[in-house]
Structure formats: C-alpha cells, structure tokens
Amino acid sequence: MAAAEEVMMLSLVGLGLWDEQDITLRGLQEARGADLVFLESYTSRLMGLNKKRLEELIEKEVKEADREFIESGRVLEHAGEKRVCVLVGGDPMVATTHADLVLRAKERGIPVRIVHNASIYSAVCETGLQAYKFGRSATIVFWEDNYKPTSFYDVMVKNKELGLHTLFFLDLRAHENRFMTVREALQELLEISAERKDGLFTPRTRVVAVSRLGSPEQRIAYGVVEKIMTDDLPPLSVIIVPGKLHPVEKEFLESLL
Amino acid sequence: MAAAEEVMMLSLVGLGLWDEQDITLRGLQEARGADLVFLESYTSRLMGLNKKRLEELIEKEVKEADREFIESGRVLEHAGEKRVCVLVGGDPMVATTHADLVLRAKERGIPVRIVHNASIYSAVCETGLQAYKFGRSATIVFWEDNYKPTSFYDVMVKNKELGLHTLFFLDLRAHENRFMTVREALQELLEISAERKDGLFTPRTRVVAVSRLGSPEQRIAYGVVEKIMTDDLPPLSVIIVPGKLHPVEKEFLESLL
C-alpha cells in the first residue's frame, strides 16, 4: 500500500456510507498523498457529504468527476502523469463501471490501488438479516411510459424459491438529483405481481425498507407493504424482501415493529 | 451518531480488512469516546493488526473478547453501566453472532450503535466480478473423520444453475490459530464432486482465489483448480467459483492470468 515513490497512479478510495467521517485512515492517507483528487459523483451519492469539510480533511481541492470524465478515459490521461485519487461512495469496486476503469488503467501500465470501505451490501446486516442468506441482488429501475423492465422482479422470484432474501437497490439519477423513493419502488413491484397474478407481492407482503443506513438519520422499517408505503423514507434507500427467516432474524425484525 | 451523553452504550465498530489503518474516522472517534474497548477475536482475525499500534491510535487499553465473553452476556453487563465499544474485523453485523448480541442489548434497554466498515462481501469486487451477479455465499468447513458436511457445495450447484458466482469463505478456528488453506478447501470441493460424479468441479475448473484482500500482500489468483492448488496463498483467503461471465468480467479475470 505504500508507494509514495510512484509517479503515476490511479487509486480508488471508498468513502463508505454517509459523510466524510466514514473515510478510513488508509483512504485519507491515500487521498492526501495524491496530486489530484476527484469525487466520483454519478454511481452513488453520499447524502451527508460536505465537499468543503472533505477538502479540509484531505487538505486539497476535490474536483467533481462525472460519468463523461471517468468513462471517456480523461481521468486516465491524468493518472498516466500524476498520482490521481478518485473518491467513490461505498466500496469502490461495487460500481461495475469501475472494473472497466481499472482494466483500462492496467492496459496503459498505470498502477492501480483500491482502498475498500463499507458498502450497503454488508451494512444491510444491521437489519438482523444474515449475509449468507441473501441471494442475488437487483436494482429497481425507473419506468418510462414505453419502457417497463421487470427483470428485477424475476430475481426476487428465484430467491424466494430458494428461501433467500433479496436486496433491492433503488434507481438514481444523481446528476438530475432524482432518487427513487421506497414508495415508487414498492408500487412497481405491486404492479408487476398484479399483472402476473402470481400473488407473490401484495400489499400484505412484509418487507424491510432501509433509509440512510450508517447515518444519524438512519431508519430501518419493517412491516407490510401498504404500511411501509405511508412512510416518507428519505433517499438513499434500499428494500429487502425477506426469504425464509431464521428464528434470530425473525426476532430481530419483530423488534423493529 | 453523536451521543456523548449516553452513560450506557454498546457500539460495534468495524475494523475493515487488514490492519489498524482501516478503521474509519467515525469508528476511531467512537472507540476513543468509550469507557471500555474490546477486540472481538473469534469470528474473524485481522492478520495485519498490531494491538499495540491499535491501542496507541485509540489512546486506551484494548482487551480481547473471546466467544465466551460475548455470548455469555458478560459484555452486556459492562454495557449496562458504561460506554462499551467492541471492535470487530470487517463489517460488524456480518457475523451472525452479533445480531444476537444486539438483540440482547436492546432487550436490556442498552442503546446500540454500529459503525460499518469494509467487508469481504463487497471487497471481492476487486476481482472484477460484479456484485449483483453473486448468488448466495457459503463457508467451506473443516471436515472431521466422521463429520463431512457438503451443504456448501449445494450452494454452488444452485448458483451455477442460475449462472451466478459463488463466494466461499474458508473455515477458521481463530483461538487455535487454525485457518483453512485454499488447497484444503479446493480438495474438499474436488472430493464432493468426485463422490457425486457430477463433473461440476474438477481439476480443470477455473476458480478465483483471493488472499489477504485489502493488504499490501494481497493476491488475486485466477486459473484452473490444479494450478491454484500449487500456490501457497496465505490466510485469510476466500474462493470464488465464477458463474456465467460478462465480457468485462472475463477480460478482467484474464488480465490476472
């Protein structure tokens, strides 16, 4: 991890879940040692992050990096000449686009370093649901008038068959400041189930909605869909459709009722 | 997150993947503000952690907490009177035993706070494999002469059917300083497949073995089982049996060959 002598470098540093206090000591050191620091602002958004406080902490300017800057390869032009640090919400490699970025960096012979941090993937265990009982995860996407994908629902169906929990991420368009609400997401699931008449997801289905996990404002709500839909949970949120519950999982969820 | 006024408190603070530099600023603040700090030493082990350096960082003594101390409820007797911080490798709630601990604390009216950190669950995306394409995970357990469970293998079979990746944790007995090696784990998988004659896991099957992820010594090895078995990968390690690969995943893994 120590390579202060490197002249070219791309480091992806995870920021964790909420604000600038979630950076690790290793990540902070990495950012402070960089020539240029960017904040990747399109795959996720830390709702508690204050850019000015982040800059004070890192002791240098932090520039915003949008999708075009990252995916066009412009970030790699910098990293081919200098030590470049890209700060990313959560754990950096969870966003699929960053695997591609790392690959392109390697092709150019640019050393890459990843500093991991908390991700919603493991943090959801704060619901009492056990990590090894989650099946595949999926994202509930914004529907358009003529584009209503349902593949995320099929993921839940498969997981349910196996007794597994399903973690649903909710779509976001960070650049438009648009974040899917829990209510919108549940509405889509209800519509798909009603359309298919499969009875798998109804207003009486019990779900877990988790909002702003890892923050002072965090909310973990458990209950039937029709009740959760009356709750104004602020973004970012995720939804979990539980599978078969272990007794401790059940007790934990019921302690939230 | 700020509650310095609390007189009783249980906080579980994640330490991340490798050493004391992986703590977050929030976690460090939490530990420094506690009356008593324990290091949970049985669900995981940070191989790079130096207790003395950790104590210097936290500015107080760190006591080891074994399974008996946590599970007997003795830790809660302290937390009912003081601010107690338990440091845990990875992301604290991933270890199922901690869900039970939190539940018991709530029953006693002890406020609980979780400080998340990196977990191997999301960190494995550093292999280029995409988080949403992992199915259920499982642990490959030590076999005894008369106890050879195979349920972890069934998890892989189900995932393979769905085209999903399987993350395997390797068994550990931290108190005996005994950690399953990648070779031992692969040997068990080979034996099960040979016994069942299912052809699903052979010396020619391609797997990913990841050792000491997030450390300066990290190794990500990709290749056929018979080759990976010749490699002495130090603990802690995990194994991934890939499912159907997306082109970027394939390109990423092949860049490791």
Side-chain angles (χ1 to χ4, degrees), chain A residues 135-162:
Chain A
R136 183 177 191 170
S137 59
T139 298
I140 301 181
V141 297
F142 286 121
W143 277 353
E144 311 294 343
D145 285 344
N146 48 5
Y147 180 66
K148 300 191 175 184
T150 60
S151 55
F152 52 84
Y153 187 88
D154 297 317
V155 170
M156 181 196 76
V157 173
K158 284 278 180 218
N159 285 338
K160 265 196 183 287
E161 281 171 20
L162 299 168

PDB file of all heavy atoms in Angstrom, chain A residues 135-162:
ATOM      1  N   GLY A 135     -29.714 -13.896  -1.580  1.00  0.00           N
ATOM      2  CA  GLY A 135     -29.442 -14.373  -2.935  1.00  0.00           C
ATOM      3  C   GLY A 135     -28.915 -13.211  -3.757  1.00  0.00           C
ATOM      4  O   GLY A 135     -28.383 -12.237  -3.233  1.00  0.00           O
ATOM      5  N   ARG A 136     -29.092 -13.338  -5.050  1.00  0.00           N
ATOM      6  CA  ARG A 136     -28.678 -12.275  -5.954  1.00  0.00           C
ATOM      7  C   ARG A 136     -29.410 -10.969  -5.632  1.00  0.00           C
ATOM      8  O   ARG A 136     -30.564 -10.987  -5.198  1.00  0.00           O
ATOM      9  CB  ARG A 136     -29.058 -12.730  -7.375  1.00  0.00           C
ATOM     10  CG  ARG A 136     -28.640 -11.786  -8.434  1.00  0.00           C
ATOM     11  CD  ARG A 136     -28.981 -12.339  -9.808  1.00  0.00           C
ATOM     12  NE  ARG A 136     -28.324 -11.528 -10.801  1.00  0.00           N
ATOM     13  CZ  ARG A 136     -28.248 -11.828 -12.091  1.00  0.00           C
ATOM     14  NH1 ARG A 136     -28.793 -12.937 -12.539  1.00  0.00           N
ATOM     15  NH2 ARG A 136     -27.607 -11.033 -12.920  1.00  0.00           N
ATOM     16  N   SER A 137     -28.757  -9.854  -5.832  1.00  0.00           N
ATOM     17  CA  SER A 137     -29.383  -8.547  -5.641  1.00  0.00           C
ATOM     18  C   SER A 137     -29.799  -7.977  -6.992  1.00  0.00           C
ATOM     19  O   SER A 137     -29.400  -8.490  -8.043  1.00  0.00           O
ATOM     20  CB  SER A 137     -28.394  -7.598  -4.960  1.00  0.00           C
ATOM     21  OG  SER A 137     -27.235  -7.471  -5.754  1.00  0.00           O
ATOM     22  N   ALA A 138     -30.587  -6.924  -6.951  1.00  0.00           N
ATOM     23  CA  ALA A 138     -31.042  -6.314  -8.212  1.00  0.00           C
ATOM     24  C   ALA A 138     -31.388  -4.851  -7.961  1.00  0.00           C
ATOM     25  O   ALA A 138     -31.508  -4.419  -6.809  1.00  0.00           O
ATOM     26  CB  ALA A 138     -32.258  -7.055  -8.751  1.00  0.00           C
ATOM     27  N   THR A 139     -31.539  -4.112  -9.044  1.00  0.00           N
ATOM     28  CA  THR A 139     -31.920  -2.702  -8.940  1.00  0.00           C
ATOM     29  C   THR A 139     -33.313  -2.497  -9.533  1.00  0.00           C
ATOM     30  O   THR A 139     -33.590  -2.943 -10.648  1.00  0.00           O
ATOM     31  CB  THR A 139     -30.904  -1.820  -9.691  1.00  0.00           C
ATOM     32  OG1 THR A 139     -29.620  -1.982  -9.085  1.00  0.00           O
ATOM     33  CG2 THR A 139     -31.296  -0.342  -9.620  1.00  0.00           C
ATOM     34  N   ILE A 140     -34.169  -1.849  -8.766  1.00  0.00           N
ATOM     35  CA  ILE A 140     -35.498  -1.484  -9.268  1.00  0.00           C
ATOM     36  C   ILE A 140     -35.321  -0.187 -10.051  1.00  0.00           C
ATOM     37  O   ILE A 140     -34.899   0.831  -9.490  1.00  0.00           O
ATOM     38  CB  ILE A 140     -36.493  -1.310  -8.107  1.00  0.00           C
ATOM     39  CG1 ILE A 140     -36.587  -2.621  -7.307  1.00  0.00           C
ATOM     40  CG2 ILE A 140     -37.869  -0.878  -8.634  1.00  0.00           C
ATOM     41  CD1 ILE A 140     -37.557  -2.581  -6.132  1.00  0.00           C
ATOM     42  N   VAL A 141     -35.600  -0.265 -11.340  1.00  0.00           N
ATOM     43  CA  VAL A 141     -35.284   0.881 -12.204  1.00  0.00           C
ATOM     44  C   VAL A 141     -36.515   1.750 -12.468  1.00  0.00           C
ATOM     45  O   VAL A 141     -37.653   1.292 -12.385  1.00  0.00           O
ATOM     46  CB  VAL A 141     -34.674   0.415 -13.554  1.00  0.00           C
ATOM     47  CG1 VAL A 141     -33.342  -0.300 -13.312  1.00  0.00           C
ATOM     48  CG2 VAL A 141     -35.636  -0.478 -14.309  1.00  0.00           C
ATOM     49  N   PHE A 142     -36.252   3.004 -12.769  1.00  0.00           N
ATOM     50  CA  PHE A 142     -37.328   3.929 -13.135  1.00  0.00           C
ATOM     51  C   PHE A 142     -38.042   3.415 -14.388  1.00  0.00           C
ATOM     52  O   PHE A 142     -37.395   3.076 -15.390  1.00  0.00           O
ATOM     53  CB  PHE A 142     -36.758   5.325 -13.456  1.00  0.00           C
ATOM     54  CG  PHE A 142     -36.323   6.101 -12.255  1.00  0.00           C
ATOM     55  CD1 PHE A 142     -35.003   6.540 -12.130  1.00  0.00           C
ATOM     56  CD2 PHE A 142     -37.227   6.440 -11.245  1.00  0.00           C
ATOM     57  CE1 PHE A 142     -34.595   7.280 -11.021  1.00  0.00           C
ATOM     58  CE2 PHE A 142     -36.820   7.188 -10.141  1.00  0.00           C
ATOM     59  CZ  PHE A 142     -35.500   7.599 -10.037  1.00  0.00           C
ATOM     60  N   TRP A 143     -39.354   3.389 -14.321  1.00  0.00           N
ATOM     61  CA  TRP A 143     -40.125   3.044 -15.510  1.00  0.00           C
ATOM     62  C   TRP A 143     -40.394   4.293 -16.331  1.00  0.00           C
ATOM     63  O   TRP A 143     -40.660   5.370 -15.783  1.00  0.00           O
ATOM     64  CB  TRP A 143     -41.471   2.416 -15.104  1.00  0.00           C
ATOM     65  CG  TRP A 143     -41.374   0.949 -14.808  1.00  0.00           C
ATOM     66  CD1 TRP A 143     -40.296   0.138 -14.982  1.00  0.00           C
ATOM     67  CD2 TRP A 143     -42.410   0.127 -14.272  1.00  0.00           C
ATOM     68  NE1 TRP A 143     -40.587  -1.148 -14.597  1.00  0.00           N
ATOM     69  CE2 TRP A 143     -41.890  -1.183 -14.153  1.00  0.00           C
ATOM     70  CE3 TRP A 143     -43.739   0.353 -13.885  1.00  0.00           C
ATOM     71  CZ2 TRP A 143     -42.637  -2.248 -13.662  1.00  0.00           C
ATOM     72  CZ3 TRP A 143     -44.484  -0.709 -13.392  1.00  0.00           C
ATOM     73  CH2 TRP A 143     -43.941  -1.994 -13.289  1.00  0.00           C
ATOM     74  N   GLU A 144     -40.338   4.103 -17.631  1.00  0.00           N
ATOM     75  CA  GLU A 144     -40.763   5.160 -18.543  1.00  0.00           C
ATOM     76  C   GLU A 144     -42.086   4.714 -19.164  1.00  0.00           C
ATOM     77  O   GLU A 144     -42.454   3.535 -19.049  1.00  0.00           O
ATOM     78  CB  GLU A 144     -39.719   5.357 -19.663  1.00  0.00           C
ATOM     79  CG  GLU A 144     -38.289   5.493 -19.201  1.00  0.00           C
ATOM     80  CD  GLU A 144     -38.021   6.749 -18.395  1.00  0.00           C
ATOM     81  OE1 GLU A 144     -38.852   7.675 -18.458  1.00  0.00           O
ATOM     82  OE2 GLU A 144     -37.003   6.791 -17.685  1.00  0.00           O
ATOM     83  N   ASP A 145     -42.746   5.620 -19.878  1.00  0.00           N
ATOM     84  CA  ASP A 145     -44.044   5.272 -20.470  1.00  0.00           C
ATOM     85  C   ASP A 145     -43.959   4.018 -21.330  1.00  0.00           C
ATOM     86  O   ASP A 145     -44.817   3.151 -21.281  1.00  0.00           O
ATOM     87  CB  ASP A 145     -44.572   6.442 -21.328  1.00  0.00           C
ATOM     88  CG  ASP A 145     -45.096   7.553 -20.435  1.00  0.00           C
ATOM     89  OD1 ASP A 145     -45.319   7.284 -19.233  1.00  0.00           O
ATOM     90  OD2 ASP A 145     -45.260   8.691 -20.931  1.00  0.00           O
ATOM     91  N   ASN A 146     -42.873   3.936 -22.088  1.00  0.00           N
ATOM     92  CA  ASN A 146     -42.770   2.812 -23.020  1.00  0.00           C
ATOM     93  C   ASN A 146     -41.605   1.869 -22.691  1.00  0.00           C
ATOM     94  O   ASN A 146     -41.120   1.139 -23.542  1.00  0.00           O
ATOM     95  CB  ASN A 146     -42.626   3.347 -24.455  1.00  0.00           C
ATOM     96  CG  ASN A 146     -41.553   4.427 -24.493  1.00  0.00           C
ATOM     97  OD1 ASN A 146     -40.897   4.665 -23.459  1.00  0.00           O
ATOM     98  ND2 ASN A 146     -41.358   5.044 -25.639  1.00  0.00           N
ATOM     99  N   TYR A 147     -41.157   1.931 -21.463  1.00  0.00           N
ATOM    100  CA  TYR A 147     -40.040   1.060 -21.059  1.00  0.00           C
ATOM    101  C   TYR A 147     -40.238   0.663 -19.602  1.00  0.00           C
ATOM    102  O   TYR A 147     -39.962   1.440 -18.688  1.00  0.00           O
ATOM    103  CB  TYR A 147     -38.706   1.796 -21.258  1.00  0.00           C
ATOM    104  CG  TYR A 147     -37.500   0.979 -20.874  1.00  0.00           C
ATOM    105  CD1 TYR A 147     -37.146  -0.180 -21.583  1.00  0.00           C
ATOM    106  CD2 TYR A 147     -36.691   1.358 -19.797  1.00  0.00           C
ATOM    107  CE1 TYR A 147     -36.041  -0.931 -21.218  1.00  0.00           C
ATOM    108  CE2 TYR A 147     -35.571   0.607 -19.435  1.00  0.00           C
ATOM    109  CZ  TYR A 147     -35.261  -0.533 -20.149  1.00  0.00           C
ATOM    110  OH  TYR A 147     -34.163  -1.266 -19.789  1.00  0.00           O
ATOM    111  N   LYS A 148     -40.786  -0.541 -19.401  1.00  0.00           N
ATOM    112  CA  LYS A 148     -41.081  -1.002 -18.048  1.00  0.00           C
ATOM    113  C   LYS A 148     -40.451  -2.372 -17.791  1.00  0.00           C
ATOM    114  O   LYS A 148     -41.150  -3.388 -17.755  1.00  0.00           O
ATOM    115  CB  LYS A 148     -42.599  -1.067 -17.844  1.00  0.00           C
ATOM    116  CG  LYS A 148     -43.277   0.288 -18.018  1.00  0.00           C
ATOM    117  CD  LYS A 148     -44.722   0.286 -17.551  1.00  0.00           C
ATOM    118  CE  LYS A 148     -45.278   1.702 -17.632  1.00  0.00           C
ATOM    119  NZ  LYS A 148     -46.636   1.845 -17.112  1.00  0.00           N
ATOM    120  N   PRO A 149     -39.135  -2.391 -17.604  1.00  0.00           N
ATOM    121  CA  PRO A 149     -38.466  -3.679 -17.374  1.00  0.00           C
ATOM    122  C   PRO A 149     -38.935  -4.323 -16.065  1.00  0.00           C
ATOM    123  O   PRO A 149     -39.323  -3.624 -15.129  1.00  0.00           O
ATOM    124  CB  PRO A 149     -36.986  -3.313 -17.291  1.00  0.00           C
ATOM    125  CG  PRO A 149     -36.947  -1.863 -17.017  1.00  0.00           C
ATOM    126  CD  PRO A 149     -38.203  -1.262 -17.547  1.00  0.00           C
ATOM    127  N   THR A 150     -38.905  -5.647 -16.041  1.00  0.00           N
ATOM    128  CA  THR A 150     -39.358  -6.376 -14.856  1.00  0.00           C
ATOM    129  C   THR A 150     -38.347  -7.423 -14.405  1.00  0.00           C
ATOM    130  O   THR A 150     -38.651  -8.253 -13.551  1.00  0.00           O
ATOM    131  CB  THR A 150     -40.702  -7.080 -15.135  1.00  0.00           C
ATOM    132  OG1 THR A 150     -40.507  -8.009 -16.215  1.00  0.00           O
ATOM    133  CG2 THR A 150     -41.791  -6.095 -15.523  1.00  0.00           C
ATOM    134  N   SER A 151     -37.142  -7.376 -14.988  1.00  0.00           N
ATOM    135  CA  SER A 151     -36.183  -8.443 -14.681  1.00  0.00           C
ATOM    136  C   SER A 151     -35.801  -8.456 -13.202  1.00  0.00           C
ATOM    137  O   SER A 151     -35.503  -9.511 -12.639  1.00  0.00           O
ATOM    138  CB  SER A 151     -34.942  -8.299 -15.556  1.00  0.00           C
ATOM    139  OG  SER A 151     -34.397  -7.006 -15.396  1.00  0.00           O
ATOM    140  N   PHE A 152     -35.828  -7.287 -12.550  1.00  0.00           N
ATOM    141  CA  PHE A 152     -35.504  -7.255 -11.114  1.00  0.00           C
ATOM    142  C   PHE A 152     -36.500  -8.084 -10.309  1.00  0.00           C
ATOM    143  O   PHE A 152     -36.148  -8.675  -9.298  1.00  0.00           O
ATOM    144  CB  PHE A 152     -35.445  -5.810 -10.588  1.00  0.00           C
ATOM    145  CG  PHE A 152     -36.650  -4.967 -10.898  1.00  0.00           C
ATOM    146  CD1 PHE A 152     -37.770  -5.020 -10.089  1.00  0.00           C
ATOM    147  CD2 PHE A 152     -36.651  -4.106 -12.003  1.00  0.00           C
ATOM    148  CE1 PHE A 152     -38.880  -4.237 -10.368  1.00  0.00           C
ATOM    149  CE2 PHE A 152     -37.759  -3.326 -12.289  1.00  0.00           C
ATOM    150  CZ  PHE A 152     -38.884  -3.393 -11.470  1.00  0.00           C
ATOM    151  N   TYR A 153     -37.736  -8.130 -10.782  1.00  0.00           N
ATOM    152  CA  TYR A 153     -38.764  -8.909 -10.087  1.00  0.00           C
ATOM    153  C   TYR A 153     -38.461 -10.412 -10.189  1.00  0.00           C
ATOM    154  O   TYR A 153     -38.638 -11.162  -9.219  1.00  0.00           O
ATOM    155  CB  TYR A 153     -40.133  -8.585 -10.696  1.00  0.00           C
ATOM    156  CG  TYR A 153     -41.302  -9.192  -9.953  1.00  0.00           C
ATOM    157  CD1 TYR A 153     -41.902  -8.519  -8.900  1.00  0.00           C
ATOM    158  CD2 TYR A 153     -41.803 -10.438 -10.314  1.00  0.00           C
ATOM    159  CE1 TYR A 153     -42.988  -9.072  -8.223  1.00  0.00           C
ATOM    160  CE2 TYR A 153     -42.880 -11.001  -9.645  1.00  0.00           C
ATOM    161  CZ  TYR A 153     -43.472 -10.311  -8.598  1.00  0.00           C
ATOM    162  OH  TYR A 153     -44.534 -10.854  -7.925  1.00  0.00           O
ATOM    163  N   ASP A 154     -37.962 -10.824 -11.336  1.00  0.00           N
ATOM    164  CA  ASP A 154     -37.614 -12.241 -11.522  1.00  0.00           C
ATOM    165  C   ASP A 154     -36.507 -12.684 -10.567  1.00  0.00           C
ATOM    166  O   ASP A 154     -36.478 -13.836 -10.130  1.00  0.00           O
ATOM    167  CB  ASP A 154     -37.178 -12.491 -12.972  1.00  0.00           C
ATOM    168  CG  ASP A 154     -38.300 -12.204 -13.954  1.00  0.00           C
ATOM    169  OD1 ASP A 154     -39.449 -12.603 -13.677  1.00  0.00           O
ATOM    170  OD2 ASP A 154     -38.038 -11.546 -14.982  1.00  0.00           O
ATOM    171  N   VAL A 155     -35.595 -11.759 -10.268  1.00  0.00           N
ATOM    172  CA  VAL A 155     -34.530 -12.068  -9.301  1.00  0.00           C
ATOM    173  C   VAL A 155     -35.156 -12.428  -7.961  1.00  0.00           C
ATOM    174  O   VAL A 155     -34.795 -13.421  -7.312  1.00  0.00           O
ATOM    175  CB  VAL A 155     -33.558 -10.872  -9.165  1.00  0.00           C
ATOM    176  CG1 VAL A 155     -32.605 -11.069  -7.998  1.00  0.00           C
ATOM    177  CG2 VAL A 155     -32.773 -10.669 -10.468  1.00  0.00           C
ATOM    178  N   MET A 156     -36.142 -11.630  -7.539  1.00  0.00           N
ATOM    179  CA  MET A 156     -36.833 -11.900  -6.274  1.00  0.00           C
ATOM    180  C   MET A 156     -37.567 -13.239  -6.306  1.00  0.00           C
ATOM    181  O   MET A 156     -37.529 -14.001  -5.334  1.00  0.00           O
ATOM    182  CB  MET A 156     -37.816 -10.768  -5.973  1.00  0.00           C
ATOM    183  CG  MET A 156     -38.568 -10.952  -4.671  1.00  0.00           C
ATOM    184  SD  MET A 156     -40.034  -9.870  -4.582  1.00  0.00           S
ATOM    185  CE  MET A 156     -41.174 -10.736  -5.662  1.00  0.00           C
ATOM    186  N   VAL A 157     -38.196 -13.532  -7.427  1.00  0.00           N
ATOM    187  CA  VAL A 157     -38.943 -14.792  -7.537  1.00  0.00           C
ATOM    188  C   VAL A 157     -38.002 -15.984  -7.346  1.00  0.00           C
ATOM    189  O   VAL A 157     -38.281 -16.903  -6.581  1.00  0.00           O
ATOM    190  CB  VAL A 157     -39.680 -14.875  -8.895  1.00  0.00           C
ATOM    191  CG1 VAL A 157     -40.309 -16.259  -9.082  1.00  0.00           C
ATOM    192  CG2 VAL A 157     -40.740 -13.780  -8.994  1.00  0.00           C
ATOM    193  N   LYS A 158     -36.857 -15.938  -8.031  1.00  0.00           N
ATOM    194  CA  LYS A 158     -35.862 -17.016  -7.901  1.00  0.00           C
ATOM    195  C   LYS A 158     -35.373 -17.140  -6.459  1.00  0.00           C
ATOM    196  O   LYS A 158     -35.251 -18.228  -5.914  1.00  0.00           O
ATOM    197  CB  LYS A 158     -34.643 -16.737  -8.800  1.00  0.00           C
ATOM    198  CG  LYS A 158     -34.870 -17.003 -10.270  1.00  0.00           C
ATOM    199  CD  LYS A 158     -34.713 -18.475 -10.587  1.00  0.00           C
ATOM    200  CE  LYS A 158     -34.941 -18.748 -12.068  1.00  0.00           C
ATOM    201  NZ  LYS A 158     -35.659 -20.004 -12.299  1.00  0.00           N
ATOM    202  N   ASN A 159     -35.060 -15.999  -5.861  1.00  0.00           N
ATOM    203  CA  ASN A 159     -34.572 -16.037  -4.486  1.00  0.00           C
ATOM    204  C   ASN A 159     -35.624 -16.615  -3.542  1.00  0.00           C
ATOM    205  O   ASN A 159     -35.317 -17.412  -2.659  1.00  0.00           O
ATOM    206  CB  ASN A 159     -34.180 -14.628  -4.015  1.00  0.00           C
ATOM    207  CG  ASN A 159     -32.858 -14.177  -4.615  1.00  0.00           C
ATOM    208  OD1 ASN A 159     -32.035 -14.999  -5.029  1.00  0.00           O
ATOM    209  ND2 ASN A 159     -32.640 -12.870  -4.658  1.00  0.00           N
ATOM    210  N   LYS A 160     -36.862 -16.199  -3.736  1.00  0.00           N
ATOM    211  CA  LYS A 160     -37.949 -16.706  -2.881  1.00  0.00           C
ATOM    212  C   LYS A 160     -38.054 -18.225  -2.984  1.00  0.00           C
ATOM    213  O   LYS A 160     -38.228 -18.912  -1.978  1.00  0.00           O
ATOM    214  CB  LYS A 160     -39.280 -16.072  -3.296  1.00  0.00           C
ATOM    215  CG  LYS A 160     -39.642 -14.837  -2.475  1.00  0.00           C
ATOM    216  CD  LYS A 160     -41.131 -14.492  -2.645  1.00  0.00           C
ATOM    217  CE  LYS A 160     -41.514 -13.231  -1.910  1.00  0.00           C
ATOM    218  NZ  LYS A 160     -41.567 -13.373  -0.443  1.00  0.00           N
ATOM    219  N   GLU A 161     -37.932 -18.741  -4.203  1.00  0.00           N
ATOM    220  CA  GLU A 161     -37.992 -20.197  -4.401  1.00  0.00           C
ATOM    221  C   GLU A 161     -36.933 -20.912  -3.563  1.00  0.00           C
ATOM    222  O   GLU A 161     -37.130 -22.021  -3.108  1.00  0.00           O
ATOM    223  CB  GLU A 161     -37.729 -20.544  -5.871  1.00  0.00           C
ATOM    224  CG  GLU A 161     -38.928 -20.328  -6.780  1.00  0.00           C
ATOM    225  CD  GLU A 161     -38.554 -20.487  -8.259  1.00  0.00           C
ATOM    226  OE1 GLU A 161     -37.507 -21.113  -8.551  1.00  0.00           O
ATOM    227  OE2 GLU A 161     -39.307 -19.964  -9.096  1.00  0.00           O
ATOM    228  N   LEU A 162     -35.780 -20.227  -3.394  1.00  0.00           N
ATOM    229  CA  LEU A 162     -34.667 -20.823  -2.645  1.00  0.00           C
ATOM    230  C   LEU A 162     -34.693 -20.410  -1.175  1.00  0.00           C
ATOM    231  O   LEU A 162     -33.780 -20.733  -0.421  1.00  0.00           O
ATOM    232  CB  LEU A 162     -33.331 -20.401  -3.285  1.00  0.00           C
ATOM    233  CG  LEU A 162     -33.115 -20.840  -4.746  1.00  0.00           C
ATOM    234  CD1 LEU A 162     -31.910 -20.125  -5.354  1.00  0.00           C
ATOM    235  CD2 LEU A 162     -32.907 -22.358  -4.812  1.00  0.00           C
TER     236      LEU A 162
END
